[in-house]
Amino acid sequence: MTEFSNRQYFLASRPEGMPTTEHVQCRDVPLGEPAEGQVIIRNLYISLDPAIRGWMSDAPNYIEPIAIGDAVRSSVLGRVVSSNHPDFEVGDVGMAMGAWEQYTTLPGEALNKLDENLGIPLSLFLGVLGPTGLTAYFGLLEVGQPKAGETVLVSAAAGAVGSVVGQIAKMQGCRVVGMAGSDDKCDWLTGELGFDAAINYKTCGDYQAAIRQACPGGVDVYFDNVGGEILDATLTCLNKYARVAVCGWISTYNAAEIPRLDNLWQVVAESLTIRGFTVLDYLDRFEEGVTQLAEWMMAGKIKYREDIVDGLDNVLPTFLRLFDGSNAGKLVLRLPE
Amino acid sequence: MTEFSNRQYFLASRPEGMPTTEHVQCRDVPLGEPAEGQVIIRNLYISLDPAIRGWMSDAPNYIEPIAIGDAVRSSVLGRVVSSNHPDFEVGDVGMAMGAWEQYTTLPGEALNKLDENLGIPLSLFLGVLGPTGLTAYFGLLEVGQPKAGETVLVSAAAGAVGSVVGQIAKMQGCRVVGMAGSDDKCDWLTGELGFDAAINYKTCGDYQAAIRQACPGGVDVYFDNVGGEILDATLTCLNKYARVAVCGWISTYNAAEIPRLDNLWQVVAESLTIRGFTVLDYLDRFEEGVTQLAEWMMAGKIKYREDIVDGLDNVLPTFLRLFDGSNAGKLVLRLPE
């Protein structure tokens, strides 16, 4: 095998606020041969998700932090270019936890083979049919436990996870209200995805008043992607026995300290449940989730948006768009085949 | 009927910190006749519980705040001295939500009749066989959901609720660790109640280190009576999928603002559940709870301490002992028959 070079973006130091080119740097390393049981994939798509910012920090997290000097961890989808594992042949396509790099070398067991012949665009396996769709599915149904007639509030509702959460909640017979960062996004939620109302959190002013107005019967399930001030305001709008499904706190990832929650006392006052989760908690039910999501998608019951950006060298500025909300839908980086 | 006078302690103004005689004042009011459907009880025992401090505030709470000018709300146990309700005769004994007063007038439906002939000291119906025991029972079993082999940490463990929580957790096959505010209390927990370890939070220094040492396998259920810094420290010691049963946050009741929880991020990192509750959430299962608690008590499986103080005029200073931890067990005020 010819000696290939592998371009990587690696963690040079831990960011305190937004990661910059000081923290995430580029290098080209030689690509070796796969060891016994390993395969090498050429990455076709790299998934850019808010959680990655958490892994750059060494604060306690649900998986190990990215080690200094390691390529930045990310879900990837790629094509096998070299295999030393009996289950994989060159040309197979699979998904794995990889990194911001051209090629990922990994044990065959860590690669989930995908069927290219289903007529499903491959990138969707990183989005609506992948970790983000599954996060929405299990987070809403298992953690949020919405019942017909209840009101579900979703923050970052136009995002990859939130948009799916809202559509599943509608299918459960709930009133669904989304919060998003532009009028365009809000229009998409109510006009195309069937949300009952949407709040532009950048222009609404008083969060509490806006939530109360959009949720006159109070909130029974809050699917929380953002944390911080919006969570604090929502706490005062929750009904007795309401559930807060904590998917992540994107508003705090680049903050020096977690903001105070002045209204946490509501936990006792209203017998609230605040429950964190990650999609990995439901690993043994992924097949059920993907099957259901694919069925809904094929039936047109789940619509989605992808925001696909070309070129590995755009990875860092593209990633940062997650934090100013300028992405529209699931953010994916595409690499040439 | 002779005109009786009823001594009351009423809420004159809302305290910001500890309530004083400025906020809680004494008055004697005439006692009228019971209206149709009402009874009047002469209070024998008045239950003093941390929650009452919450009701003095007009912050959102699980029941209405005490109105300015109203007698301070409290669970009471009394004997019927006048009845205008077919189900009650003079001499009957019952429990109700009453107030810091000699006589309470209330609808018969609001009075739970008790059987004096069971050989159970009446005061226990305000404690281990009443709201505090039921809080421990439902809070631990339903909210905490401990499994055999898990570690249960209890704060305010020598208190009326915490001491019962720990003993029930032991019966579930758990390792049980209590936090309390004196060595005497800690000795009582480990020496008499069967706790596996106890932490004197006033002398242990670093909470996190003390909890880790007492709970080498981490904490699976934290029964939280106190909130604040101890909750924040405990958050870092919780195992994946741990449950925090939030009974109340006594450390914050007299504080101007709720302290920051810097470690709340653990909710996502460890897929934690933080769930608030009050005993009223389980109103329809009280009979089950009391029956089970009485059985355990009779069998010597639940031990308890009562701290009984005589005289209505001692009510405020006695109540304040809850907040410096100088009470030993369930705090009850006794009034002369």
Side-chain angles (χ1 to χ4, degrees):
Chain A
M1 192 177 176
T2 330
E3 169 114 334
F4 283 99
S5 167
N6 184 23
R7 173 153 292 194
Q8 297 182 322
Y9 282 81
F10 70 100
L11 193 66
S13 60
R14 301 205 182 280
E16 290 285 323
M18 289 284 177
T20 67
T21 52
E22 179 197 331
H23 312 103
V24 176
Q25 297 180 6
C26 182
R27 70 183 169 206
D28 295 305
V29 295
L31 185 68
E33 298 288 332
E36 178 76 31
Q38 283 188 334
V39 298
I40 300 179
I41 57 173
R42 181 179 176 101
N43 291 320
L44 304 176
Y45 294 99
I46 292 177
S47 180
L48 298 178
D49 304 288
I52 298 169
R53 176 62 187 84
W55 310 336
M56 291 180 179
S57 144
D58 56 5
N61 208 322
Y62 59 95
I63 53 176
E64 287 297 297
I66 300 165
I68 298 293
D70 277 5
V72 175
R73 188 192 297 142
S74 221
S75 295
V76 299
L77 186 152
R79 191 179 297 283
V80 174
V81 292
S82 183
S83 173
N84 200 349
H85 188 286
D87 295 348
F88 290 94
E89 292 177 17
V90 169
D92 284 346
V93 167
M95 242 181 87
M97 191 57 87
W100 292 0
E101 59 189 355
Q102 288 175 291
Y103 298 93
T104 294
T105 302
L106 72 171
E109 283 68 28
L111 188 63
N112 287 298
K113 206 185 286 192
L114 297 173
D115 185 349
E116 273 190 284
N117 303 314
L118 296 173
I120 295 174
L122 286 176
S123 59
L124 296 189
F125 291 108
L126 291 176
V128 64
L129 299 183
T132 52
L134 291 166
T135 298
Y137 180 84
F138 291 112
L140 177 69
L141 297 179
E142 297 297 320
V143 181
Q145 302 200 6
K147 293 173 207 56
E150 290 190 327
T151 295
V152 175
L153 178 69
V154 190
S155 56
V161 173
S163 59
V164 178
V165 167
Q167 294 176 85
I168 299 177
K170 280 307 297 178
M171 285 190 260
Q172 308 305 307
C174 297
R175 174 177 171 81
V176 178
V177 176
M179 301 184 80
S182 75
D183 288 343
D184 274 358
K185 287 180 179 178
C186 288
D187 289 346
W188 181 59
L189 295 177
T190 53
E192 290 192 45
L193 301 194
F195 280 55
D196 296 286
I199 298 168
N200 180 341
Y201 72 88
K202 290 193 178 165
T203 58
C204 71
D206 181 344
Y207 294 147
Q208 235 179 76
I211 295 167
R212 282 187 201 283
Q213 193 181 5
C215 308
V219 175
D220 300 292
V221 176
Y222 174 44
F223 193 99
D224 184 17
N225 287 299
V226 304
E229 282 177 53
I230 292 180
L231 170 57
D232 206 22
T234 302
L235 282 171
T236 66
C237 305
L238 295 175
N239 290 330
K240 185 96 183 167
Y241 305 123
R243 287 79 68 199
V244 177
V246 181
C247 180
W249 283 334
I250 195 172
S251 75
T252 70
Y253 291 173
N254 292 298
E257 47 177 33
I258 288 193
R260 294 173 48 85
L261 292 176
D262 288 319
N263 299 316
L264 209 55
W265 164 249
Q266 290 292 104
V267 167
V268 185
E270 300 293 350
S271 296
L272 305 179
T273 301
I274 298 182
R275 190 169 148 205
F277 71 98
T278 74
V279 70
L280 299 177
D281 300 344
Y282 299 93
L283 206 52
D284 59 346
R285 290 178 58 192
F286 274 15
E287 200 178 319
E288 164 206 331
V290 172
T291 304
Q292 179 63 76
L293 287 162
E295 189 186 310
W296 283 334
M297 198 191 70
M298 305 291 197
K301 290 180 179 170
I302 291 190
K303 296 176 184 140
Y304 60 90
R305 264 188 192 166
E306 289 182 293
D307 192 334
I308 297 183
V309 175
D310 281 301
L312 182 63
D313 291 332
N314 292 316
V315 67
L316 183 59
T318 304
F319 176 65
L320 294 180
R321 289 172 54 203
L322 290 166
F323 302 97
D324 66 13
S326 65
N327 60 307
K330 175 69 190 110
L331 193 61
V332 179
L333 200 72
R334 181 165 52 197
L335 277 60
E337 242 296 4
Chain B
M1 192 179 176
T2 329
E3 170 115 333
F4 283 100
S5 168
N6 183 23
R7 173 153 290 195
Q8 297 182 322
Y9 283 81
F10 70 100
L11 193 66
S13 60
R14 300 204 182 281
E16 290 285 324
M18 290 286 177
T20 67
T21 51
E22 178 197 331
H23 312 102
V24 176
Q25 297 180 7
C26 181
R27 69 183 169 206
D28 295 305
V29 295
L31 185 68
E33 298 288 333
E36 178 76 32
Q38 285 187 333
V39 298
I40 299 179
I41 57 174
R42 183 180 174 101
N43 290 320
L44 304 176
Y45 294 99
I46 292 177
S47 180
L48 297 179
D49 304 288
I52 297 169
R53 176 61 187 86
W55 310 337
M56 291 180 180
S57 144
D58 56 4
N61 208 321
Y62 59 94
I63 53 175
E64 287 297 298
I66 300 165
I68 299 294
D70 277 5
V72 175
R73 189 193 296 141
S74 222
S75 294
V76 300
L77 187 152
R79 190 179 298 282
V80 174
V81 291
S82 182
S83 173
N84 200 349
H85 189 285
D87 295 348
F88 290 93
E89 292 177 16
V90 170
D92 285 346
V93 167
M95 240 181 88
M97 191 56 87
W100 292 358
E101 58 189 355
Q102 288 177 289
Y103 297 93
T104 294
T105 302
L106 72 171
E109 284 68 28
L111 188 64
N112 288 298
K113 204 185 287 194
L114 298 173
D115 185 349
E116 273 190 285
N117 302 316
L118 296 174
I120 296 174
L122 285 176
S123 59
L124 295 189
F125 291 107
L126 291 176
V128 63
L129 299 182
T132 53
L134 291 166
T135 298
Y137 179 85
F138 291 111
L140 177 69
L141 297 178
E142 296 297 319
V143 181
Q145 302 199 8
K147 293 170 208 55
E150 289 190 328
T151 296
V152 175
L153 177 70
V154 189
S155 55
V161 173
S163 58
V164 178
V165 167
Q167 294 177 85
I168 299 177
K170 280 308 296 177
M171 285 190 260
Q172 309 304 306
C174 297
R175 173 176 171 81
V176 178
V177 176
M179 301 184 81
S182 76
D183 289 343
D184 274 357
K185 287 180 179 180
C186 288
D187 289 346
W188 181 59
L189 295 177
T190 53
E192 289 192 45
L193 301 195
F195 281 55
D196 296 285
I199 298 167
N200 181 341
Y201 71 89
K202 289 192 177 164
T203 59
C204 70
D206 182 343
Y207 294 147
Q208 238 180 74
I211 295 166
R212 280 185 202 283
Q213 194 181 2
C215 308
V219 175
D220 300 292
V221 176
Y222 173 45
F223 193 100
D224 184 18
N225 287 299
V226 303
E229 282 177 52
I230 292 180
L231 170 58
D232 207 21
T234 302
L235 282 171
T236 66
C237 306
L238 295 175
N239 290 330
K240 185 95 183 167
Y241 305 124
R243 287 80 66 198
V244 178
V246 181
C247 180
W249 282 334
I250 196 172
S251 74
T252 70
Y253 291 173
N254 292 298
E257 48 178 33
I258 288 193
R260 294 172 49 85
L261 292 175
D262 288 319
N263 300 316
L264 208 56
W265 165 248
Q266 291 291 104
V267 167
V268 184
E270 300 293 351
S271 297
L272 306 178
T273 300
I274 298 181
R275 192 169 146 204
F277 72 97
T278 74
V279 70
L280 299 176
D281 300 345
Y282 299 93
L283 206 52
D284 58 346
R285 291 177 57 193
F286 274 14
E287 200 178 318
E288 165 205 330
V290 172
T291 305
Q292 179 62 77
L293 288 162
E295 190 187 308
W296 283 333
M297 198 191 70
M298 305 291 197
K301 290 180 178 169
I302 290 191
K303 296 173 184 142
Y304 59 91
R305 263 189 192 165
E306 288 182 294
D307 191 335
I308 298 184
V309 175
D310 281 301
L312 182 64
D313 291 332
N314 292 317
V315 67
L316 184 59
T318 305
F319 175 66
L320 293 179
R321 288 173 53 204
L322 290 167
F323 302 97
D324 65 14
S326 66
N327 60 306
K330 176 70 191 108
L331 193 60
V332 179
L333 200 73
R334 182 166 50 197
L335 277 61
E337 185 69 83

